[in-house]
Amino acid sequence: MLFRILIADDEPAARFGMTKALAQIECTIIEAADGRAALEAIARDAPDLVYLDLNMPVMNGLAVMRALADGGQRRTGEIIIVTANDDVASAVECMKLGAADFITKPFEIERIRAIARRNARRVELEQRASLLQDQLDRKSASGSLIGVSQSMRDLMNLIERAAPAPLDVLIRGETGTGKELIARELHRLSGRTGPFVAVNTAAVSNTLAESELFGHVKGAFTGADVDRKGVFEQAAGGTLFLDEIGDMPLPLQAKMLRVLQQRVVQRVGSGKEITVDVRVISATHQDLSAAVGDGHFRQDLFYRIRGLELTVAPLRERPQDIPLLAEFFLHRLASQSGGRGGANAAGGLAAASGAAGAAASPAPTVRLSAAAIEAMLRHPWPGNVRELQNIIERAVILETDPGVIRAETIAPWLRLPTNNDVAAAQDLAGKPLADIEKQVILSTLNRFKGHRVKTATALGIGVRTLGMK
């Protein structure tokens, strides 16, 4: 965040004292020794906050305020008048001309800081809203990705470069990070004219998996009353999204490999091969390298689907995006309710960080309090963007304070540090790292009921590494 403060005072000692008082605030300090220099700095630098001394040579503070009022000069921030006790009447006149407040000399350091912090927060919210609107304006109505963190900016750039390429893509990321949205964005930017077809391979019944993927002919099995296209044929000319491909059974993986290599499918019950022109985008929350090592995923299929690999970072690793995403969902809710917010707005949001029609969203009538945002920044977000979306939806419905979502409203759904967490951390202090590591591994194994792949994935290590611990 860029936050600029102008200190206009003819006394060097006063400027030095105020600059020192503001050392705790992340900001750029601009100084002016008289009223004319202050006017020039306001026009040139558009400071977000101005401390304007009332008694200065060349032009005093009142003359500066009159010049600003008469000239209609654009100001982006508050002007705080600094005055002696006997000049309160002039300070009040300055406020009539647009000053936000006044302080008297000798000023209280904490009040100076409080004013700066309040304005820094205002500027942060304004810049965040501007970033959000810029992103919404840049994206077409058919889809968008929201994020200002470096990892999201890198991902967006990679998506734009990779979309036109003929390579199949593997998207890796935790549940709820928006992998399907990324797949849709790749399809949207690819130039392919066929449809986008999504299938969750983990939800497909083993007995019907081949029929779902490759289709069947009439009479192929009981209940096959008509010929049916599989998802590969349905996605002809477009994109097929295979979600949670890591959960695909091994026998089906072998048949999937043949289809991906030859781009032909054979419907169940038919001896005829059908050529398909389809781009395949796969997604998983698992560490497929570990699954290959553990024998749960074919190595040749892994290399085949990973023509290009994209990784989306979990929300806890990109906290800069949390307030922006929260505001995005508030915009979506406002759009769906005609700007009113509330219970009728709670359905139908995209399950990740962007969706159709966002650019037309009206400004939300409900905002997040600063305390609510701080609480959200401390939450680890195990459910990622989907969890954030759900919390915003519930909060808009249940909040009783009009116009603002309070920290107290969302607190029941957030995991914040507790006294038990602090005590647990203190219990680990002084223990050998090897013992702590063993304790964490055993605890994670217990959580996943001994499942080694899930444990290794959760800990960010390979299954072989897990076996050596």
Side-chain angles (χ1 to χ4, degrees):
M1 181 189 70
L2 180 61
F3 180 49
R4 297 175 295 268
I5 299 177
L6 170 62
I7 301 173
D9 199 305
D10 61 311
E11 298 178 11
R15 297 198 303 272
F16 175 79
M18 194 169 288
T19 299
K20 189 173 181 181
L22 296 171
Q24 299 178 355
I25 311 296
E26 186 178 347
C27 64
T28 299
I29 299 291
I30 307 160
E31 295 186 21
D34 58 58
R36 185 167 296 162
L39 272 178
E40 292 172 355
I42 291 171
R44 180 185 66 247
D45 300 311
D48 303 296
L49 174 62
V50 179
Y51 292 102
L52 180 64
D53 187 30
L54 194 57
N55 298 309
M56 289 187 295
V58 185
M59 292 180 70
N60 62 22
L62 182 55
V64 171
M65 292 302 302
R66 285 172 177 161
L68 291 172
D70 293 341
Q73 260 182 288
R74 180 177 177 271
R75 299 194 306 272
T76 56
E78 292 184 353
I79 295 181
I80 308 298
I81 300 299
V82 181
T83 180
N85 285 321
D86 56 354
D87 271 338
V88 173
S90 296
V92 172
E93 186 174 350
C94 287
M95 293 181 68
K96 292 179 181 178
L97 293 169
D101 202 352
F102 70 91
I103 56 177
T104 57
K105 292 182 178 180
F107 51 77
E108 297 178 7
I109 290 177
E110 278 309 313
R111 190 172 179 203
I112 294 289
R113 290 172 178 163
I115 291 170
R117 290 192 187 101
R118 184 187 71 234
N119 278 272
R121 178 66 180 154
R122 171 185 57 79
V123 170
E124 181 185 6
L125 291 174
E126 289 173 353
Q127 292 180 358
R128 189 183 299 148
S130 177
L131 284 169
L132 174 60
Q133 195 57 55
D134 285 347
Q135 289 201 17
L136 295 180
D137 290 343
R138 282 201 312 269
K139 303 296 180 180
S140 75
S142 59
S144 65
L145 291 171
I146 300 298
V148 293
S149 62
Q150 188 60 53
S151 64
M152 279 302 295
R153 290 200 299 266
D154 291 344
L155 180 60
M156 290 176 192
N157 290 333
L158 190 53
I159 288 171
E160 290 180 0
R161 295 199 306 270
L167 293 172
D168 290 340
V169 178
L170 173 64
I171 304 172
R172 292 181 55 183
E174 295 179 4
T175 300
T177 50
K179 297 186 289 294
E180 181 173 341
L181 180 68
I182 292 170
R184 289 183 181 275
E185 192 75 350
L186 283 165
H187 172 69
R188 184 178 72 86
L189 298 173
S190 68
R192 298 185 67 85
T193 57
F196 178 92
V197 177
V199 57
N200 187 333
T201 56
V204 176
S205 163
N206 286 341
T207 56
L208 297 176
E210 286 189 52
S211 172
E212 179 74 20
L213 293 172
F214 312 130
H216 63 255
V217 296
K218 182 179 178 180
F221 50 84
T222 303
D225 299 328
V226 294
D227 290 354
R228 183 182 183 277
K229 292 181 178 180
V231 292
F232 274 90
E233 288 185 75
Q234 294 172 31
T239 301
L240 175 61
F241 176 59
L242 300 174
D243 198 10
E244 299 303 347
I245 195 169
D247 294 322
M248 181 178 288
L250 278 169
L252 191 58
Q253 290 180 30
K255 296 181 179 181
M256 179 67 69
L257 177 64
R258 179 176 179 272
V259 172
L260 294 181
Q261 286 176 331
Q262 301 181 15
R263 284 313 199 254
V264 295
V265 295
Q266 188 172 318
R267 294 181 184 178
V268 177
S270 170
K272 179 183 177 182
E273 291 186 337
I274 302 171
T275 302
V276 289
D277 170 24
V278 62
R279 184 189 201 177
V280 176
I281 300 177
S282 307
T284 182
H285 70 280
Q286 298 185 29
D287 181 351
L288 290 187
S289 298
V292 169
D294 216 33
H296 291 142
F297 200 83
R298 291 180 63 105
Q299 186 177 51
D300 46 7
L301 179 59
F302 175 50
Y303 291 139
R304 182 72 219 184
I305 63 175
R306 195 179 62 166
L308 178 68
E309 185 172 318
L310 302 180
T311 301
V312 54
L315 193 54
R316 64 181 174 275
E317 292 181 7
R318 46 188 181 101
Q320 307 95 316
D321 295 338
I322 293 172
L324 191 67
L325 285 165
E327 289 174 13
F328 172 81
F329 289 127
L330 286 175
H331 274 263
R332 289 284 298 157
L333 289 166
S335 176
Q336 292 174 353
S337 63
R340 294 184 302 275
N344 291 335
L349 283 173
S353 49
S361 300
T365 56
V366 180
R367 64 177 178 83
L368 289 159
S369 70
I373 292 175
E374 291 300 322
M376 292 166 68
L377 291 173
R378 297 197 303 271
H379 182 59
W381 298 106
N384 291 293
V385 179
R386 187 177 297 137
E387 179 187 6
L388 172 60
Q389 174 194 322
N390 291 337
I391 285 178
I392 294 297
E393 291 177 359
R394 281 179 279 169
V396 169
I397 295 171
L398 300 177
E399 179 59 74
T400 57
D401 192 350
V404 64
I405 295 175
R406 300 166 299 161
E408 294 85 350
T409 302
I410 63 175
W413 310 316
L414 302 181
R415 183 188 166 214
L416 303 177
T418 64
N419 291 333
N420 289 337
D421 295 329
V422 175
Q426 291 174 343
D427 288 343
L428 294 176
K431 284 189 175 182
L433 288 176
D435 292 347
I436 295 174
E437 192 176 67
K438 182 178 179 181
Q439 182 177 336
V440 171
I441 289 174
L442 291 175
S443 175
T444 309
L445 274 168
N446 183 60
R447 174 184 297 179
F448 291 111
K449 300 179 181 179
H451 196 296
R452 289 162 51 81
V453 173
K454 291 183 178 179
T455 299
T457 301
L459 295 174
I461 59 177
V463 174
R464 289 193 181 95
T465 304
L466 182 65
M468 294 186 292
K469 299 295 183 181

